[in-house]
């Protein structure tokens, strides 16, 4: 029988909302500290949280674009910490990419007044939902880390994912994730596979090049 903690899912999503939220605009955002735009964007963020090897691949891309060795170091740390084995939490591919129903985790955040869910709107032919992050949510993330320091990884990783997302919307993030052939070729309803070996080879090649 499958066992999982929807409370841990809720914590992960809470950190994503805080890291990826933007200052609110509009009357329907009254009382919110931040707005996280779109469930497609949420799934894209969650995918990089749950697939460290794909995130490492993005870090290598950022290194190629900027020459900033900090991104190379971060990618190396993902593998030295064995994250692709220890922290991978599989998702299935559905019509618009990596997907999982988040109703249970979101209901936990809603019932505690940490988020509100805004009206749905059509964005690039997809019905999207805004998530309003309440002041209590930001305080809760601080309280969680204070009480459970081992969960610092979640806020650090959510901030890193937000940096890699670089302000892009859900459609752009999904398009980027589809550029990985292993992701794009996954059959609908099947689990998106690991790319650990390929990314590790890329990392080693870049580390050797930098060292020479």
């Amino acid at each position: 029988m499958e066992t999982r903690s929807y409370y841990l899912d809720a914590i992960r999503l809470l950190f994503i909302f805080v890291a990826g939220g933007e200052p609110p605009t509009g009357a329907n955002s009254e009382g919110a500290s931040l707005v996280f735009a779109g469930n497609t964007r949420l799934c894209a963020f969650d995918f990089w949280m749950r697939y460290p090897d794909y995130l490492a691949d993005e870090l290598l891309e950022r290194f190629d674009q900027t020459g900033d060795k900090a991104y190379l170091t971060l990618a190396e740390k993902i593998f030295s910490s064995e994250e692709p084995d220890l922290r991978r939490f599989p998702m299935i591919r559905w019509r618009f990419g990596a997907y999982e129903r988040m109703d249970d985790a979101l209901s936990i955040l809603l019932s505690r007044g940490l988020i509100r869910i805004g009206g749905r709107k059509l964005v690039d032919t997809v019905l999207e939902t805004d998530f309003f992050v309440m002041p209590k949510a930001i305080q809760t993330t601080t309280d969680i880390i204070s009480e459970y320091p081992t969960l610092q990884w979640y806020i650090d990783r959510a901030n890193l994912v937000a940096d890699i997302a670089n302000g892009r919307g859900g459609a752009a993030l999904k398009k980027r994730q589809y550029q990985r052939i292993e992701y794009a070729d996954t059959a609908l309803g099947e689990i998106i596979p690991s790319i650990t070996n390929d990314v590790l080879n890329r990392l080693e090649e870049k580390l050797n090049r930098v060292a020479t």
Side-chain angles (χ1 to χ4, degrees):
M1 182 175 67
E2 180 185 8
T3 59
R4 66 181 295 170
S5 170
Y6 292 111
Y7 288 96
L8 191 56
D9 290 342
I11 288 171
R12 187 180 69 253
L13 295 184
L14 179 62
F15 285 129
I16 288 174
F17 286 139
V18 172
E22 300 289 344
T25 58
N28 60 346
S29 63
E30 183 178 356
S33 295
L34 300 167
V35 179
F36 189 98
N39 42 289
T40 300
R41 185 166 175 259
L42 177 60
C43 284
F45 269 59
D46 201 31
F47 176 75
W48 277 330
M49 292 283 289
R50 293 165 59 161
Y51 277 80
D53 48 352
Y54 282 82
L55 180 61
D57 196 41
E58 293 303 311
L59 291 168
L60 297 183
E61 288 295 317
R62 186 64 67 86
F63 167 70
D64 286 343
Q65 294 165 7
T66 67
D68 187 343
K69 294 180 183 178
Y71 291 112
L72 199 59
T73 300
L74 287 167
E76 186 178 19
K77 185 177 179 181
I78 284 176
F79 288 102
S80 65
S81 301
E82 300 183 346
E83 288 190 27
D85 292 326
L86 300 178
R87 293 193 179 273
R88 180 171 173 264
F89 190 0
M91 297 178 77
I92 65 167
R93 183 193 158 222
W94 202 232
R95 289 190 305 157
F96 301 108
Y99 173 78
E100 181 174 275
R101 289 185 64 88
M102 299 178 179
D103 301 35
D104 293 296
L106 290 173
S107 68
I108 292 171
L109 301 179
L110 280 165
S111 67
R112 285 157 175 77
L114 301 176
I115 64 168
R116 288 192 292 108
I117 295 181
R120 306 189 78 191
K121 59 184 181 297
L122 197 64
V123 179
D124 294 328
T125 72
V126 180
L127 279 173
E128 293 283 21
T129 302
D130 284 339
F131 301 92
F132 299 104
V133 184
M134 309 309 291
K136 183 180 177 182
I138 297 173
Q139 182 60 50
T140 298
T141 60
T142 301
D143 293 343
I144 288 172
I145 298 304
S146 177
E147 189 168 355
Y148 304 102
T150 57
L151 296 180
Q152 180 69 41
W153 180 90
Y154 284 93
I155 195 166
D156 292 342
R157 183 51 49 87
N159 286 330
L160 179 58
V161 168
D163 176 49
I164 292 299
N166 196 27
R168 289 175 289 180
L173 293 178
K174 289 296 184 180
K175 182 178 180 180
R176 172 60 194 160
Q177 290 173 353
Y178 265 111
Q179 288 176 2
R180 252 294 175 176
I181 192 66
E182 295 88 347
Y183 182 111
D185 280 356
T186 302
L188 293 182
E190 295 296 323
I191 291 175
I192 297 170
S194 169
I195 57 172
T196 294
N197 291 337
D198 182 61
V199 181
L200 188 55
N201 288 337
R202 288 188 66 207
L203 172 63
E204 291 175 348
E205 183 272 329
K206 293 180 190 301
L207 287 171
N208 290 333
R209 178 157 48 87
V210 167
T212 57

